[in-house]
Amino acid sequence: QQQVKQSPQSLIVQKGGISIINCAYENTAFDYFPWYQQFPGKGPALLIAIRPDVSEKKEGRFTISFNKSAKQFSLHIMDSQPGDSATYFCAASKDDYKLSFGAGTTVTVRA
Amino acid sequence: NAGVMQNPRHLVRRRGQEARLRCSPMKGHSHVYWYRQLPEEGLKFMVYLQKENIIDESGMPKERFSAEFPKEGPSILRIQQVVRGDSAAYFCASSPTGGYNNEQFFGPGTRLTVL
């Protein structure tokens, strides 16, 4: 069963726009929520991660928003660039090694 | 400073053959994780190993799959008597330690196709 549900499956955004990807989880024991970026033919690379003791974390143009009561977290990509075109995976774990991944969102940024 | 290396990158096997996937972790990393990615799905945890030890294999199918991480050499994921449903991308990740704040660094994956 999918422990982390991710949406949308794909999205297209204009250069300079905002990309928003949402994830929801059921297991309240999860305490680590990373986002991974994957380019075709490559392995996933850690983009940004958050722990449940904070509601938001920002690194450059990437922001994670975390809502513990709703068991949801999202990734916002501000000022989207063509180089951001990739597949993004949210993930969660409760012991820091057994990551449960969402199904992925393919982001296409149009110039 | 080489990252996680996996080989082969692409592997084609006929049903009933064996597949051996290799993973060399980043220098200084002694913890290895294997994940499987089926088409249109996210990665699914298979097994976590330290040198010479299997720590958690709760995601491994009970039959035909095995993994090892010997004292010397790469980690090996072995699939015996492959079936079409084994066709997937297999990713290896490594980390320097297994504790808190433990970022996993992923390799480029091995794409297994079973004919």
Side-chain angles (χ1 to χ4, degrees):
Chain A
Q1 66 281 17
Q2 193 84 20
Q3 294 204 59
V4 179
K5 289 185 167 56
Q6 183 172 348
S7 64
Q9 187 175 8
S10 63
L11 69 89
I12 298 173
V13 63
Q14 291 295 121
K15 180 182 175 183
I18 302 173
S19 303
I20 302 174
I21 306 169
N22 300 300
C23 285
Y25 64 97
E26 287 298 322
N27 190 341
T28 55
F30 284 149
D31 63 356
Y32 177 62
F33 302 90
W35 284 88
Y36 284 83
Q37 180 187 55
Q38 184 180 27
F39 293 104
K42 305 289 187 184
L46 180 65
L47 189 62
I48 185 173
I50 197 167
R51 303 260 176 204
D53 51 341
V54 296
S55 60
E56 186 174 283
K57 184 174 181 180
K58 183 176 181 179
E59 288 185 3
R61 297 183 293 106
F62 300 90
T63 300
I64 299 179
S65 297
F66 183 79
N67 185 331
K68 189 173 182 178
S69 60
K71 293 185 287 186
Q72 294 176 349
F73 58 111
S74 60
L75 177 70
H76 295 230
I77 307 174
M78 314 299 285
D79 187 26
S80 297
Q81 300 296 312
D84 297 333
S85 296
T87 298
Y88 293 81
F89 294 95
C90 62
S93 78
K94 59 180 171 67
D95 45 28
D96 277 2
Y97 67 80
K98 194 184 300 182
L99 293 168
S100 294
F101 282 82
T105 298
T106 301
V107 174
T108 302
V109 181
R110 294 252 165 92
Chain B
N1 191 9
V4 177
M5 299 175 68
Q6 290 187 250
N7 68 79
R9 294 293 308 277
H10 300 273
L11 182 61
V12 179
R13 286 287 178 265
R14 297 192 180 279
R15 281 179 296 170
Q17 292 184 320
E18 178 180 287
R20 278 182 174 247
L21 288 62
R22 294 175 186 76
C23 169
S24 296
M26 286 180 69
K27 187 176 180 181
H29 288 195
S30 59
H31 298 250
V32 165
Y33 317 82
W34 285 92
Y35 291 82
R36 176 165 64 175
Q37 183 179 31
L38 295 170
E40 308 300 322
E41 293 187 18
L43 285 74
K44 288 187 167 42
F45 170 83
M46 298 181 75
V47 62
Y48 165 31
L49 311 104
Q50 292 180 37
K51 285 283 187 180
E52 300 183 278
N53 288 304
I54 296 174
I55 306 302
D56 182 347
E57 57 181 347
S58 58
M60 288 273 274
K62 294 288 184 274
E63 297 177 349
R64 302 187 298 107
F65 285 72
S66 62
E68 63 176 7
F69 189 16
K71 186 176 180 181
E72 301 291 337
S75 175
I76 306 285
L77 180 67
R78 183 183 178 202
I79 311 172
Q80 295 178 289
Q81 299 175 334
V82 296
V83 300
R84 288 220 172 104
D86 296 333
S87 294
Y90 292 83
F91 289 93
C92 163
S94 73
S95 65
T97 67
Y100 208 67
N101 288 326
N102 168 30
E103 179 181 348
Q104 294 179 25
F105 295 82
F106 283 82
T110 294
R111 271 84 180 162
L112 172 65
T113 301
V114 180
L115 302 177

